Amino acid sequence: MTDARLIWCHGSLSTPWGAKSLALAETAKALGLTMEGPDFSDLEDPDLRVDRLAGLLREDDRPVILAGSSMGGYVAAAAGSVATGLFLLAPAVYLPGYAVHVFSGLPDRVTVIHGWDDDTVPVDNAIRFARTHKAALHVLADNHRLEHSTPELCALFARFLTDVLEASRP
């Protein structure tokens, strides 16, 4: 499935290509995947971002793997029913003002990473999401941005991508 699309959904106040997403893109590249990073920064509303992502997904029928951080994690999860895998960093799930609180039809391969010291999205939200969807959950000694955990994020991303790619082989 190396023809699969890998799409990165950035967070609310970030851009598509920050240090974290660049490191993850390099990890993906080593596995033969090119990570796309659409720019959602002109949209403050998370559900308008979901709509934009859904439009991008309709333009291409290749299998898709979605990854995202914070609001981007929410966006990926809200559109996740069409994905073969979800990789979510500090996903902004179960927050007021976000339309989707019941995520249905998610793929079998979902990984959630969150920081114990996240003061933006409570770690309990990630635990609830992971429990509900039987997702792999990694809680790290870090904050919302997970800025001190880049090597761990890359290792977990490589393991996740390898698993998704191997599961899709005939």
Side-chain angles (χ1 to χ4, degrees), residues 7 23 37 53 55 68 75 89 92 110 112 143 161 168:
I7 298 179
L53 177 60
V75 170
L89 306 178
V110 178
V112 179
N143 58 33
L161 290 174
S168 68

Side-chain angles (χ1 to χ4, degrees), residues 19-136:
K20 186 171 34 185
S21 55
L22 287 171
L24 294 175
E26 283 300 312
T27 299
K29 185 178 179 182
L31 294 169
L33 291 168
T34 300
M35 192 161 83
E36 300 172 42
D39 191 350
F40 299 104
S41 60
D42 61 316
L43 299 173
E44 291 182 24
D45 183 297
D47 297 296
L48 291 178
R49 290 181 181 207
V50 173
D51 291 344
R52 180 174 289 169
L53 177 60
L56 292 172
L57 295 174
R58 283 191 295 272
E59 295 172 2
D60 189 328
D61 63 354
R62 289 180 292 163
V64 66
I65 302 165
L66 298 175
S69 180
S70 191
M71 184 188 284
Y74 165 83
V75 170
S81 65
V82 300
T84 58
L86 292 175
F87 189 79
L88 310 175
L89 306 178
V93 291
Y94 312 125
L95 294 181
Y98 289 46
V100 179
H101 293 278
V102 176
F103 301 87
S104 58
L106 297 185
D108 292 337
R109 284 160 186 79
V110 178
T111 295
V112 179
I113 303 170
H114 214 90
W116 282 117
D117 300 321
D118 190 328
D119 60 0
T120 303
V121 178
V123 68
D124 290 341
N125 293 22
I127 294 168
R128 174 182 164 195
F129 181 90
R131 182 184 306 117
T132 300
H133 300 287
K134 296 179 177 44

Side-chain angles (χ1 to χ4, degrees), residues 7-27:
I7 298 179
W8 171 256
C9 302
H10 64 85
S12 173
L13 301 176
S14 64
T15 61
W17 299 111
K20 186 171 34 185
S21 55
L22 287 171
L24 294 175
E26 283 300 312
T27 299

